[in-house]
Amino acid sequence: PFSPQTVCSGSPITTISPTGTVAGTTFTWTRDNLVNVTGMPASGNAPIAGTLVNNTNVAQNVIFTITPTANGCNGTPINVTITVNPQPVVTATPNSQTICSGTAITPIAFTSNVAGTTYAWTRSNTANVTGIAAPGTGTPVSGTLTNTTTSLQATTFSIVGTAAGCAGPASTAVVNVQAPLVLTCPSNITVNAAPNSCSAVVTYSATVTGTPAPTVTYVPASGSTFPIGTTTVNVTATNSCGTRTCSFTVTDLDVQIPNIT
Protein backbone atom coordinates (compact mmCIF):
# COMPACT_ATOMS: atom_id res chain seq x y z
CA PRO A 1 0.00 0.00 0.00
CA PHE A 2 0.96 3.67 -0.54
CA SER A 3 0.05 6.66 1.61
CA PRO A 4 -2.13 9.35 0.04
CA GLN A 5 -0.42 12.43 -1.36
CA THR A 6 -1.40 16.08 -1.50
CA VAL A 7 0.21 18.28 -4.17
CA CYS A 8 -0.28 21.72 -5.62
CA SER A 9 -1.59 22.06 -9.14
CA GLY A 10 1.31 22.17 -11.56
CA SER A 11 3.75 20.50 -9.15
CA PRO A 12 5.12 16.96 -9.71
CA ILE A 13 3.78 14.14 -7.60
CA THR A 14 6.06 11.98 -5.48
CA THR A 15 6.99 9.06 -7.73
CA ILE A 16 5.01 5.90 -6.97
CA SER A 17 7.21 2.79 -7.39
CA PRO A 18 5.27 -0.38 -6.52
CA THR A 19 6.99 -3.65 -5.62
CA GLY A 20 5.64 -7.21 -5.33
CA THR A 21 6.41 -10.45 -3.53
CA VAL A 22 6.65 -12.41 -6.76
CA ALA A 23 9.83 -12.10 -8.79
CA GLY A 24 9.35 -10.45 -12.18
CA THR A 25 6.08 -8.73 -11.26
CA THR A 26 5.11 -5.83 -13.52
CA PHE A 27 2.61 -3.11 -12.77
CA THR A 28 0.10 -1.22 -14.87
CA TRP A 29 -2.12 1.61 -13.73
CA THR A 30 -5.16 3.66 -14.64
CA ARG A 31 -6.50 6.84 -13.13
CA ASP A 32 -9.81 8.68 -12.88
CA ASN A 33 -10.96 12.35 -12.89
CA LEU A 34 -9.49 13.05 -16.31
CA VAL A 35 -11.61 16.14 -17.02
CA ASN A 36 -10.96 18.18 -13.89
CA VAL A 37 -7.34 17.10 -13.51
CA THR A 38 -5.05 16.95 -16.52
CA GLY A 39 -1.33 16.63 -17.09
CA MET A 40 -0.92 12.85 -16.88
CA PRO A 41 -2.38 10.16 -19.15
CA ALA A 42 -5.26 7.86 -18.26
CA SER A 43 -3.05 4.78 -17.97
CA GLY A 44 0.51 3.59 -18.08
CA ASN A 45 3.19 1.35 -16.62
CA ALA A 46 4.78 1.85 -13.21
CA PRO A 47 6.57 3.70 -11.81
CA ILE A 48 4.04 6.53 -11.77
CA ALA A 49 5.52 10.03 -12.14
CA GLY A 50 4.43 13.33 -13.61
CA THR A 51 2.60 16.56 -12.94
CA LEU A 52 -1.12 17.01 -12.33
CA VAL A 53 -2.99 20.22 -13.15
CA ASN A 54 -6.21 21.07 -11.34
CA ASN A 55 -8.51 22.89 -13.78
CA THR A 56 -11.05 23.89 -11.11
CA ASN A 57 -11.21 26.22 -8.12
CA VAL A 58 -11.51 23.47 -5.47
CA ALA A 59 -9.38 20.53 -4.42
CA GLN A 60 -9.68 17.44 -6.63
CA ASN A 61 -8.91 13.80 -5.84
CA VAL A 62 -7.27 11.54 -8.41
CA ILE A 63 -7.32 7.81 -7.74
CA PHE A 64 -4.59 5.71 -9.34
CA THR A 65 -5.46 2.00 -9.56
CA ILE A 66 -2.34 -0.19 -9.77
CA THR A 67 -2.60 -3.80 -10.97
CA PRO A 68 0.31 -6.26 -10.50
CA THR A 69 0.93 -9.03 -13.05
CA ALA A 70 3.31 -11.99 -12.81
CA ASN A 71 3.47 -15.13 -14.92
CA GLY A 72 0.26 -14.16 -16.67
CA CYS A 73 -1.63 -13.82 -13.41
CA ASN A 74 -3.09 -10.53 -12.17
CA GLY A 75 -2.87 -9.71 -8.50
CA THR A 76 -5.25 -7.66 -6.42
CA PRO A 77 -5.28 -3.99 -7.54
CA ILE A 78 -4.48 -1.29 -5.02
CA ASN A 79 -5.54 2.36 -5.05
CA VAL A 80 -3.47 5.44 -4.39
CA THR A 81 -5.26 8.77 -3.85
CA ILE A 82 -3.61 12.06 -4.76
CA THR A 83 -5.31 15.30 -3.76
CA VAL A 84 -4.51 18.18 -6.13
CA ASN A 85 -5.07 21.63 -4.65
CA PRO A 86 -5.79 24.50 -7.07
CA GLN A 87 -3.45 27.44 -7.61
CA PRO A 88 -5.15 30.72 -6.74
CA VAL A 89 -5.26 33.33 -9.48
CA VAL A 90 -5.29 36.87 -8.11
CA THR A 91 -7.11 39.82 -9.66
CA ALA A 92 -6.02 43.32 -8.61
CA THR A 93 -8.54 46.18 -8.87
CA PRO A 94 -7.61 48.70 -10.14
CA ASN A 95 -4.64 47.25 -11.96
CA SER A 96 -3.45 50.65 -13.22
CA GLN A 97 -3.78 54.21 -11.93
CA THR A 98 -2.00 57.57 -12.07
CA ILE A 99 -1.76 59.86 -9.06
CA CYS A 100 -0.09 63.11 -8.05
CA SER A 101 2.97 62.87 -5.84
CA GLY A 102 2.13 62.98 -2.14
CA THR A 103 -1.49 61.88 -2.57
CA ALA A 104 -3.29 58.70 -1.57
CA ILE A 105 -3.64 55.91 -4.10
CA THR A 106 -6.98 54.40 -4.94
CA PRO A 107 -6.91 51.34 -2.64
CA ILE A 108 -5.91 48.22 -4.58
CA ALA A 109 -8.16 45.30 -3.67
CA PHE A 110 -7.25 41.66 -4.33
CA THR A 111 -9.65 38.85 -5.13
CA SER A 112 -9.04 35.20 -6.00
CA ASN A 113 -10.79 32.33 -7.68
CA VAL A 114 -9.99 30.08 -4.70
CA ALA A 115 -11.75 30.51 -1.36
CA GLY A 116 -9.56 31.24 1.64
CA THR A 117 -6.72 32.80 -0.35
CA THR A 118 -4.24 34.98 1.53
CA TYR A 119 -2.17 37.65 -0.18
CA ALA A 120 1.45 38.82 -0.04
CA TRP A 121 2.90 41.57 -2.21
CA THR A 122 6.05 43.46 -3.02
CA ARG A 123 6.56 46.58 -5.09
CA SER A 124 9.27 47.90 -7.38
CA ASN A 125 11.06 51.26 -7.58
CA THR A 126 11.12 51.84 -3.82
CA ALA A 127 14.05 54.28 -4.15
CA ASN A 128 12.30 56.80 -6.41
CA VAL A 129 8.78 56.24 -5.06
CA THR A 130 8.38 56.25 -1.28
CA GLY A 131 5.52 56.17 1.20
CA ILE A 132 4.11 52.63 1.15
CA ALA A 133 6.40 50.08 2.76
CA ALA A 134 7.17 46.86 0.93
CA PRO A 135 6.77 43.95 1.20
CA GLY A 136 3.30 43.66 2.69
CA THR A 137 0.36 41.34 3.19
CA GLY A 138 -3.40 41.48 3.04
CA THR A 139 -5.92 43.43 1.02
CA PRO A 140 -6.47 46.19 0.10
CA VAL A 141 -3.22 48.09 -0.32
CA SER A 142 -3.63 51.76 0.60
CA GLY A 143 -1.48 54.74 1.48
CA THR A 144 0.32 57.73 0.00
CA LEU A 145 3.12 57.61 -2.56
CA THR A 146 5.72 60.34 -3.11
CA ASN A 147 7.83 60.75 -6.23
CA THR A 148 11.33 61.88 -5.18
CA THR A 149 12.47 62.70 -8.73
CA THR A 150 11.62 65.26 -11.41
CA SER A 151 10.09 62.78 -13.87
CA LEU A 152 7.08 60.49 -13.92
CA GLN A 153 7.79 57.29 -11.99
CA ALA A 154 5.98 53.94 -11.97
CA THR A 155 5.87 51.44 -9.13
CA THR A 156 4.57 47.92 -9.75
CA PHE A 157 2.86 45.91 -7.03
CA SER A 158 3.43 42.17 -7.51
CA ILE A 159 0.82 40.09 -5.69
CA VAL A 160 0.92 36.36 -4.97
CA GLY A 161 -2.06 34.48 -3.55
CA THR A 162 -1.68 31.35 -1.43
CA ALA A 163 -4.40 28.82 -0.59
CA ALA A 164 -3.95 25.46 1.17
CA GLY A 165 -0.20 25.95 0.97
CA CYS A 166 -0.24 26.46 -2.79
CA ALA A 167 1.04 29.74 -4.25
CA GLY A 168 -0.36 30.93 -7.54
CA PRO A 169 1.22 33.03 -10.29
CA ALA A 170 2.01 36.67 -9.54
CA SER A 171 -0.43 39.36 -10.60
CA THR A 172 0.50 43.02 -10.97
CA ALA A 173 -0.93 46.47 -10.37
CA VAL A 174 0.88 49.59 -11.59
CA VAL A 175 0.73 53.02 -9.97
CA ASN A 176 2.15 55.94 -11.99
CA VAL A 177 3.24 58.79 -9.73
CA GLN A 178 3.57 62.25 -11.23
CA ALA A 179 6.67 64.27 -10.37
CA PRO A 180 5.94 67.01 -7.81
CA LEU A 181 5.43 70.55 -9.06
CA VAL A 182 8.40 72.68 -7.97
CA LEU A 183 8.80 76.36 -8.93
CA THR A 184 11.93 78.43 -8.23
CA CYS A 185 12.04 82.12 -9.11
CA PRO A 186 15.24 83.79 -10.30
CA SER A 187 17.09 86.04 -7.87
CA ASN A 188 16.17 89.72 -7.76
CA ILE A 189 17.41 91.51 -10.88
CA THR A 190 19.07 94.95 -11.04
CA VAL A 191 19.67 96.62 -14.42
CA ASN A 192 20.65 100.05 -15.72
CA ALA A 193 18.25 102.05 -17.79
CA ALA A 194 19.03 102.19 -21.48
CA PRO A 195 20.96 105.30 -22.62
CA ASN A 196 18.77 108.35 -23.23
CA SER A 197 15.75 106.59 -21.77
CA CYS A 198 13.97 106.00 -18.49
CA SER A 199 13.39 102.28 -18.96
CA ALA A 200 14.99 98.90 -19.73
CA VAL A 201 13.86 95.69 -21.39
CA VAL A 202 14.42 92.72 -19.07
CA THR A 203 14.06 88.99 -19.78
CA TYR A 204 14.03 86.21 -17.22
CA SER A 205 13.02 82.60 -16.67
CA ALA A 206 11.97 80.68 -13.58
CA THR A 207 12.98 77.07 -12.97
CA VAL A 208 10.01 74.70 -12.91
CA THR A 209 9.81 70.91 -12.75
CA GLY A 210 6.94 68.47 -12.45
CA THR A 211 4.56 66.32 -14.45
CA PRO A 212 2.32 66.76 -16.35
CA ALA A 213 4.29 69.59 -17.94
CA PRO A 214 3.18 72.77 -16.12
CA THR A 215 2.07 76.05 -17.65
CA VAL A 216 4.11 79.04 -16.42
CA THR A 217 2.92 82.66 -16.51
CA TYR A 218 4.80 85.87 -15.62
CA VAL A 219 3.24 89.21 -14.62
CA PRO A 220 4.79 91.33 -16.10
CA ALA A 221 5.89 89.01 -18.91
CA SER A 222 9.53 88.33 -19.65
CA GLY A 223 10.80 90.82 -22.21
CA SER A 224 8.66 93.66 -20.85
CA THR A 225 9.91 97.24 -20.57
CA PHE A 226 10.51 98.21 -16.93
CA PRO A 227 10.48 101.86 -15.75
CA ILE A 228 12.94 103.45 -13.38
CA GLY A 229 12.42 102.00 -9.91
CA THR A 230 11.54 98.56 -8.52
CA THR A 231 8.83 96.31 -9.97
CA THR A 232 7.64 92.99 -8.52
CA VAL A 233 7.27 90.07 -10.95
CA ASN A 234 4.79 87.36 -9.98
CA VAL A 235 5.24 83.85 -11.39
CA THR A 236 2.60 81.10 -11.42
CA ALA A 237 3.11 77.46 -12.46
CA THR A 238 0.04 75.23 -12.88
CA ASN A 239 -0.71 71.63 -13.86
CA SER A 240 -3.37 69.07 -12.99
CA CYS A 241 -1.63 68.33 -9.69
CA GLY A 242 -1.63 71.89 -8.34
CA THR A 243 -0.38 75.46 -8.51
CA ARG A 244 2.83 77.05 -7.26
CA THR A 245 3.70 80.76 -7.07
CA CYS A 246 6.79 82.84 -6.37
CA SER A 247 7.96 86.41 -6.94
CA PHE A 248 11.08 88.48 -7.42
CA THR A 249 11.90 92.11 -8.15
CA VAL A 250 13.35 93.98 -11.11
CA THR A 251 15.09 97.25 -10.22
CA ASP A 252 15.85 99.68 -13.05
CA LEU A 253 18.55 102.27 -12.19
CA ASP A 254 18.97 105.67 -13.86
CA VAL A 255 22.77 105.92 -14.07
CA GLN A 256 23.08 108.49 -16.90
CA ILE A 257 24.26 111.83 -15.54
CA PRO A 258 22.26 114.76 -17.03
CA ASN A 259 24.16 117.41 -18.98
CA ILE A 260 23.18 121.08 -19.00
CA THR A 261 24.27 123.26 -21.88
Side-chain angles (χ1 to χ4, degrees):
F2 289 90
S3 298
Q5 296 184 34
T6 299
V7 298
C8 296
S9 178
S11 298
I13 67 172
T14 299
T15 300
I16 302 171
S17 300
T19 59
T21 57
V22 178
T25 299
T26 59
F27 301 88
T28 58
W29 57 268
T30 60
R31 76 169 184 93
D32 65 356
N33 204 354
L34 298 172
V35 175
N36 291 339
V37 182
T38 57
M40 294 178 64
S43 61
N45 298 315
I48 306 172
T51 298
L52 294 171
V53 177
N54 185 340
N55 299 313
T56 75
N57 299 333
V58 296
Q60 295 288 322
N61 288 329
V62 177
I63 298 175
F64 288 83
T65 300
I66 306 170
T67 301
T69 301
N71 303 315
C73 299
N74 290 336
T76 301
I78 62 170
N79 292 331
V80 182
T81 300
I82 298 181
T83 300
V84 186
N85 287 321
Q87 280 190 328
V89 177
V90 176
T91 300
T93 305
N95 63 5
S96 180
Q97 58 181 292
T98 299
I99 65 168
C100 296
S101 179
T103 64
I105 67 172
T106 299
I108 305 171
F110 309 138
T111 56
S112 170
N113 61 325
V114 179
T117 297
T118 59
Y119 306 95
W121 50 266
T122 59
R123 74 173 181 88
S124 66
N125 202 2
T126 55
N128 293 338
V129 179
T130 61
I132 297 179
T137 59
T139 180
V141 175
S142 60
T144 298
L145 291 174
T146 299
N147 183 341
T148 62
T149 75
T150 59
S151 60
L152 179 72
Q153 296 288 320
T155 182
T156 300
F157 291 83
S158 181
I159 312 102
V160 174
T162 301
C166 297
S171 297
T172 59
V174 177
V175 180
N176 299 298
V177 186
Q178 302 281 12
L181 179 58
V182 177
L183 173 64
T184 303
C185 271
S187 300
N188 293 334
I189 299 172
T190 299
V191 297
N192 295 330
N196 301 314
S197 75
C198 297
S199 62
V201 175
V202 182
T203 60
Y204 37 77
S205 178
T207 301
V208 60
T209 59
T211 59
T215 300
V216 183
T217 57
Y218 301 87
V219 179
S222 177
S224 297
T225 299
F226 287 80
I228 298 296
T230 299
T231 303
T232 298
V233 179
N234 295 306
V235 186
T236 302
T238 302
N239 65 11
S240 59
C241 287
T243 299
R244 299 289 184 272
T245 61
C246 67
S247 63
F248 63 98
T249 61
V250 174
T251 300
D252 185 9
L253 302 177
D254 183 4
V255 294
Q256 186 176 4
I257 298 174
N259 294 319
I260 299 177
T261 300

